[in-house]
Amino acid sequence: MNRRAVLRVGAGLVGAGIVGGCLQTESRSVRSPPLVEDRPDAVYYPTHSEGMEMVGSTTVGEYELAAMYSYPHRFWEITGSDTNKKEIAESHAMHFMAVIWDPETETVLPNAGLSMELTKDGSLIDQSNMYAMLSQPMGLHYGNNVDGDGDGTYTATIDVGSVPEDRVRRTGDFQGRFTEPVSTEIEFDYSQSTRDDLPYTEYDDAAGEREALGPMDSMAPSATVPPEADLPGEVRGTATSGDAKFVVTAQDAPPEGVEGDGRYLAVFAHTPYNRMVLPSMQLSGALAGDSVALEPTLDPDLGYHYGAAVPDVSSGDSLSITVETPPQLSRHEGYETAFLEMSDVEVTL
């Protein structure tokens, strides 16, 4: 079922935030500072940050969606462990972004398969897939650089494909959810002067240091892993690989929708500093020498994690985790060198 909603943006829906990245139309790309030499194979402070303009939000089907734009950004596409830098073209007017989430739990949805068409006065200006992306202030979102046609009123038609069940298992009340493709339109005013008035800050002294920009305030929720003290279940151990942190918890029983009895091991993978969720990995594991399938799972109480039902969890058991495929997310500056080469880890539970 396709549902379409039309939103005209009111003044109360417009806001601003900060994203790490780059910028602008024809000439603005020169404003992006050169990348830091000898960047660490880890999360690092980017050369600069830029503001963004919220252009609207809407409820469509069972989803809530918010859209925003910033200056055009350089970013990195990831295939396996390879990176491909996407440069800013002279025709690019803005970096258009969207966040999509479940309205009740505010769980941000991964792997939702977004694409968009941008029109002005009924004429098609650009159409593109929206990459699933990771930025330090925003975390998981969808975005791409798009062309513009000067100042005026634009309509962004955003198609949401659904979250594929063969890539993300749903449990609890999320079973059977997020399977319907939907489409929505967001109309917004754009001008180069408004875009050029967005904040822009360079970090000459801190750029390249192993640190991260803080999360921004936004009308859209952020996909983060709670602090260890707030995680459901019992935290049984942690490990780090490729600068990503893995927190392993033991639940009393598997959530509804998971085959198997006994206990449930949930592995939460997140970035350092901001605890941004790291989805779209392929993990394998072994508990006390026996293989366990750590499946990407979306649960209303646990959030996004990698989980497996196991017969039992004894104190002193060893859980090995192998990252078969690192997070298949495009990256903004400061994340593009992290979470790529990820060695096996061992956690004593």
Side-chain angles (χ1 to χ4, degrees), residues 96-118:
F96 193 86
M97 298 167 279
V99 178
I100 183 168
W101 67 94
D102 170 55
E104 182 175 347
T105 63
E106 296 198 336
T107 301
V108 178
L109 302 177
N111 305 102
L114 271 63
S115 61
M116 67 96 76
E117 287 188 353
L118 193 65

Side-chain angles (χ1 to χ4, degrees), residues 12-185:
L13 292 176
V14 178
I18 300 292
V19 294
C22 357
L23 155 43
Q24 121 173 68
T25 66
E26 306 70 63
S27 61
R28 210 33 121 82
S29 61
V30 300
R31 191 168 166 179
S32 299
L35 291 169
V36 174
E37 295 183 359
D38 300 326
R39 292 168 287 165
D41 295 330
V43 174
Y44 70 93
Y45 220 77
T47 55
H48 65 295
S49 64
E50 295 168 339
M52 72 176 189
E53 187 77 3
M54 302 292 293
V55 299
S57 68
T58 184
T59 301
V60 53
E62 59 180 335
Y63 306 101
E64 189 78 14
L65 183 147
M68 58 289 288
Y69 73 79
S70 182
Y71 306 105
H73 283 32
R74 61 190 172 204
F75 63 90
W76 287 260
E77 184 181 14
I78 305 296
T79 303
S81 297
D82 297 329
T83 60
N84 175 34
K85 186 167 75 168
K86 309 291 282 188
E87 301 285 2
I88 304 168
E90 290 189 355
S91 60
H92 289 154
M94 67 189 91
H95 185 75
F96 193 86
M97 298 167 279
V99 178
I100 183 168
W101 67 94
D102 170 55
E104 182 175 347
T105 63
E106 296 198 336
T107 301
V108 178
L109 302 177
N111 305 102
L114 271 63
S115 61
M116 67 96 76
E117 287 188 353
L118 193 65
T119 59
K120 180 188 176 191
D121 299 328
S123 297
L124 179 64
I125 305 301
D126 202 351
Q127 56 185 349
S128 63
N129 292 322
M130 299 184 74
Y131 293 86
M133 292 187 164
L134 193 66
S135 83
Q136 293 177 4
M138 287 187 69
L140 174 64
H141 65 283
Y142 301 84
N144 204 346
N145 295 328
V146 298
D147 293 346
D149 185 35
D151 298 353
T153 301
Y154 288 79
T155 299
T157 302
I158 302 172
D159 293 326
V160 180
S162 75
V163 180
E165 293 188 275
D166 60 347
R167 296 176 62 185
V168 183
R169 176 174 60 185
R170 262 83 87 185
T171 53
D173 290 342
F174 280 173
Q175 291 180 89
R177 299 277 310 277
F178 319 125
T179 59
E180 296 289 341
V182 296
S183 183
T184 189
E185 292 182 357

Side-chain angles (χ1 to χ4, degrees), residues 36 44-47 202-213:
V36 174
Y44 70 93
Y45 220 77
T47 55
E202 295 191 9
Y203 305 103
D204 294 337
D205 295 334
E209 297 295 325
R210 293 189 62 167
E211 198 180 342
L213 295 170

